[in-house]
Amino acid sequence: MYRSTKSFFYLPCAHRQWRDDGDCQLVHGYDRSVHFVFESDGLDDKCWVMDFGGLKHIKAWLEDKFDHTLLINEDDPEMAFFEEMDRKGLCRLRVLPNIGMEGSAKYIFDYVDPWVQEQTQGRVRVYSVECRENEKNSAIYYRD
């Protein structure tokens, strides 16, 4: 089994964990990064696991979701307020099932893995996605 990694940095976004009793219930921001581990039983014609030049779509997708955006959980009780902010052009709202690092890692995995498998005709899979909110905190979602 071969593995290779690719990282994307500088995805500054804001979010809030409305269930938290402390400061995380407030809107706050991080400069997120996303780290992929790709795996394959064999290498391509260039002797690579994954051709990173072919990930421009993933980079654009990550930027659309996480670059200068406001991430809100789909069950946030203040959703109408955040939607109004978005309508007024005060934020670029992105609604996710779970905006935490754990939920973000799974959300990204669930989008990128099928895309990678389609692009490589099943030769490459995403093994894991790690989401970092800063240099101290991260969460990783692994393939079963």
Side-chain angles (χ1 to χ4, degrees):
M1 181 68 59
Y2 294 94
R3 289 192 177 138
S4 65
T5 64
K6 176 67 175 173
S7 298
F8 294 90
F9 297 95
Y10 313 118
L11 298 166
C13 59
H15 67 253
R16 84 178 198 121
Q17 286 284 16
W18 71 268
R19 289 183 180 90
D20 184 56
D21 292 331
D23 288 340
C24 288
Q25 70 179 305
L26 304 173
V27 173
H28 59 290
Y30 291 108
D31 191 5
R32 290 185 179 204
S33 60
V34 179
H35 310 277
F36 293 96
V37 178
F38 300 99
E39 68 178 6
S40 178
D41 295 326
L43 303 177
D44 69 8
D45 61 341
K46 299 176 200 89
C47 296
W48 297 337
V49 171
M50 185 71 204
D51 181 353
F52 297 144
L55 295 176
K56 290 176 180 62
H57 168 77
I58 297 306
K59 181 179 186 286
W61 182 82
L62 289 170
E63 289 172 347
D64 178 66
K65 296 295 180 191
F66 301 103
D67 187 5
H68 288 83
T69 58
L70 174 59
L71 309 175
I72 298 297
N73 283 332
E74 62 189 10
D75 64 348
D76 192 302
E78 297 297 331
M79 183 60 71
F81 172 74
F82 293 116
E83 290 172 337
E84 180 66 17
M85 286 178 58
D86 186 56
R87 278 192 296 279
K88 289 184 173 187
L90 300 174
C91 70
R92 291 177 49 213
L93 181 64
R94 300 296 183 263
V95 178
L96 279 66
N98 173 359
I99 57 85
M101 293 304 103
E102 297 84 353
S104 294
K106 182 179 185 323
Y107 180 81
I108 293 167
F109 183 100
D110 289 346
Y111 180 83
V112 175
D113 183 53
W115 185 88
V116 164
Q117 289 194 45
E118 179 183 323
Q119 296 301 307
T120 65
Q121 291 77 49
R123 189 182 62 77
V124 179
R125 298 164 300 282
V126 175
Y127 173 73
S128 67
V129 174
E130 178 181 12
C131 286
R132 293 194 149 275
E133 61 185 12
N134 56 41
E135 62 279 352
K136 300 181 293 184
N137 303 329
S138 75
I140 303 171
Y141 186 83
Y142 286 91
R143 168 176 299 289
D144 277 340

